[in-house]
Amino acid sequence: MTTILHPARVVVLLFAGAILAGTLLLMLPLASASGHGAPFMVAFFTAVSAVCVSGMAVVDTGTYWSGFGQASIMVLFQLGGFGMMTAATLLGLMVNRSSRLRTRLIAQTETRSLGMGDIASVARVVLTVSVLLQLVIAGILFVRLRAGHDLAWGDAAWSALFHAVSAFNNAGFSLHADSLTRYASDTLVLLPIMVAIVVGGIGFPVLHDLRHRLRDPRHWSLHTKLTLTGTLMLLVGGFATVLLFEWNNAATLGALSTPDKLMNSMFISVASRTAGFNTVDYSALTPETWALHYLLMFIGGGSAGTAGGVKVATVMILVLLVVAEARGQSDTEAFGRRVGMAAQRQAVTVLVLGSVIVALGTLALLRISHFPTDQIIFEVIAAFGSAGLSTGITAQLPASGQVVLALLMFIGRVGTITLATSLVLGKRRMPYRYPEDHPIVG
């Protein structure tokens, strides 16, 4: 009898296999611009960052890697962004009846499908939206880079495609050493990239829901309503906070015109949660803006999208739980619906474990490096949340520190997926219950 692996293990093995293959590819002489082949640590860290769609880098992507190496990196973050969930979905559609349920649960692990019958539909949305949007964004960027920045035809085409795919997959990789800083005053470059980031990071179940019920918000799922509401709150709140703390900072927004300040504040709010692009020098941000990034990067984007973090819906459920408790309500409610107790417990579990992982990662890096605590916290949360941003210390960390960041990227991308699956599949009904008691809280 064929043994079927636990879905959580399958997801881990898929990601690990992609990282191994990516590491071997990037170590080939053909992958580096020098033609000598990248050292193991450089190739490994880059592969982990690409597959986990983080965007953290220890070398300059545009100059260190050859065209083959850059293409390999793009394929890796395409796989890590939506390829894994598409493959899992297709597996779920091809299996025989005896193993269909378990294998479909593998697909549901990645897609967070709203129902078992939605897997095929979600797969179509994944493929259609992913391919079409990336091509459209690439086309817009190509025209702008060619006409507005005088890039050669080939350079404009490759840069447009690379950045469009990177933006949609929330990967944060750029062909420029300064990321997108050179385009800080170009709305026609920043705006399409922001659209790709938001659509890719909102989550495919939300896109699936909007596709079928766009004109009827009353029938949107609670997950869709929570994700869209939370996303809007984070975008507006982040935009306003960045404006407040960076308006007069000469090293970031202070030197820009008012329209550019507004555009870059919104770009920072959009990209900081998980995309990893930057249009200003992050090492020059005020401490208050760094603190804001801790929150935004930790939360991340929508479930079952290309974003990282503990996810918007998770935090929204916890906020609703706190509000209900403060009001003395027995049920946690939103939009005329009651949030299930299982979802509440899972949200608490994800948040607590995420916080513990960040704390342990911070302690580990403080032990093996000499950088200030605020910079270490920034790097750790950026790695765990797949945000890919950096204060500039990633490449300066010792090899052991880079291994810690690689583990955080892997856990942040795969850990929440496997945890969610384990919580669902590990649920069992106990034959007895202990007497209830009430410990003192607070």
Side-chain angles (χ1 to χ4, degrees):
M1 183 176 178
T2 303
T3 301
I4 303 174
L5 291 175
H6 190 287
R9 295 179 182 175
V10 174
V11 172
V12 171
L13 290 175
L14 285 173
F15 275 85
I19 290 171
L20 176 60
T23 302
L24 295 176
L25 276 176
L26 294 178
M27 289 180 68
L28 294 175
L30 181 63
S32 61
S34 65
H36 298 303
F40 170 78
M41 195 61 216
V42 172
F44 172 70
F45 189 91
T46 304
V48 173
S49 183
V51 173
C52 297
V53 290
S54 174
M56 302 187 88
V58 292
V59 294
D60 177 32
T61 304
T63 58
Y64 186 89
W65 303 106
S66 65
F68 174 81
Q70 294 170 11
S72 299
I73 292 171
M74 186 177 72
V75 170
L76 289 175
F77 58 65
Q78 186 80 284
L79 284 173
F82 81 94
M84 291 295 185
M85 65 180 69
T86 302
T89 300
L90 295 177
L91 280 175
L93 297 176
M94 293 188 295
V95 294
N96 56 48
R97 294 179 62 92
S98 62
S99 61
R100 185 173 300 162
L101 176 61
R102 178 58 63 90
T103 312
R104 284 194 175 189
L105 283 172
I106 296 173
Q108 197 172 8
T109 298
E110 266 287 275
T111 62
R112 307 294 204 284
S113 174
L114 302 179
M116 295 298 288
D118 290 333
I119 292 178
S121 182
V122 171
R124 286 192 293 271
V125 172
V126 170
L127 291 171
T128 302
V129 172
S130 299
V131 173
L132 290 181
L133 184 65
Q134 290 178 72
L135 290 177
V136 169
I137 297 298
I140 295 173
L141 291 178
F142 168 73
V143 172
R144 181 56 184 168
L145 294 176
R146 173 63 185 154
H149 296 273
D150 297 323
L151 291 184
W153 289 93
D155 293 339
W158 176 238
S159 181
L161 179 63
F162 189 93
H163 288 98
V165 175
S166 183
F168 178 80
N169 287 285
N170 281 231
F173 277 91
S174 174
L175 296 177
H176 311 307
D178 61 354
S179 190
L180 301 181
T181 302
R182 64 187 63 190
Y183 304 122
S185 298
D186 194 336
T187 301
L188 295 180
V189 170
L190 299 186
L191 193 58
I193 288 179
M194 283 195 290
V195 171
I197 291 170
V198 172
V199 175
I202 202 74
F204 293 110
V206 173
L207 296 177
H208 173 264
D209 203 14
L210 295 179
R211 178 194 176 200
H212 292 283
R213 292 181 281 270
L214 180 61
R215 298 183 179 180
D216 191 9
R218 295 175 302 172
H219 292 90
W220 290 353
S221 69
L222 179 58
H223 171 78
T224 295
K225 293 178 180 178
L226 290 178
T227 300
L228 293 179
T229 302
T231 298
L232 181 61
M233 293 170 60
L234 291 171
L235 290 178
V236 174
F239 166 73
T241 306
V242 171
L243 272 183
L244 175 64
F245 293 126
E246 299 298 328
W247 184 273
N248 294 317
N249 185 350
T252 56
L253 300 184
L256 301 177
S257 65
T258 297
D260 288 342
K261 286 181 179 179
L262 296 175
M263 173 56 64
N264 280 267
S265 295
M266 180 52 69
F267 187 88
I268 291 173
S269 180
V270 170
S272 62
R273 285 172 44 227
T274 184
F277 292 114
N278 64 280
T279 56
V280 299
D281 180 5
Y282 266 71
S283 65
L285 293 174
T286 63
E288 295 86 354
T289 307
W290 274 7
L292 169 69
H293 277 70
Y294 299 161
L295 176 65
L296 295 179
M297 294 188 299
F298 185 73
I299 294 174
S303 301
T306 58
V310 296
K311 304 300 187 294
V312 174
T314 300
V315 174
M316 289 295 291
I317 290 173
L318 294 173
V319 170
L320 293 172
L321 177 60
V322 171
V323 170
E325 189 65 26
R327 292 178 175 178
Q329 299 173 339
S330 57
D331 293 328
T332 302
E333 303 168 340
F335 302 105
R337 293 289 185 272
R338 178 163 49 87
V339 180
M341 185 58 67
Q344 296 179 47
R345 294 174 62 178
Q346 291 166 15
V348 171
T349 302
V350 169
L351 185 72
V352 170
L353 291 182
S355 302
V356 170
I357 291 169
V358 167
L360 292 176
T362 301
L363 290 174
L365 281 188
L366 285 173
R367 178 66 177 174
I368 59 182
S369 70
H370 60 277
F371 294 103
T373 303
D374 53 357
Q375 288 184 299
I376 292 295
I377 294 175
F378 193 101
E379 301 293 313
V380 167
I381 299 179
F384 173 77
S386 297
L389 296 170
S390 174
T391 60
I393 68 172
T394 301
Q396 302 176 48
L397 289 171
S400 57
Q402 293 173 6
V403 169
V404 170
L405 289 182
L407 287 173
L408 287 169
M409 287 188 284
F410 187 79
I411 293 172
R413 177 62 176 158
V414 181
T416 55
I417 296 171
T418 56
L419 174 61
T421 308
S422 299
L423 290 174
V424 173
L425 298 184
K427 186 182 298 182
R428 54 196 178 98
R429 193 177 295 274
M430 300 295 291
Y432 59 86
R433 299 179 73 187
Y434 290 109
E436 184 175 288
D437 205 339
H438 300 278
I440 299 174
V441 177

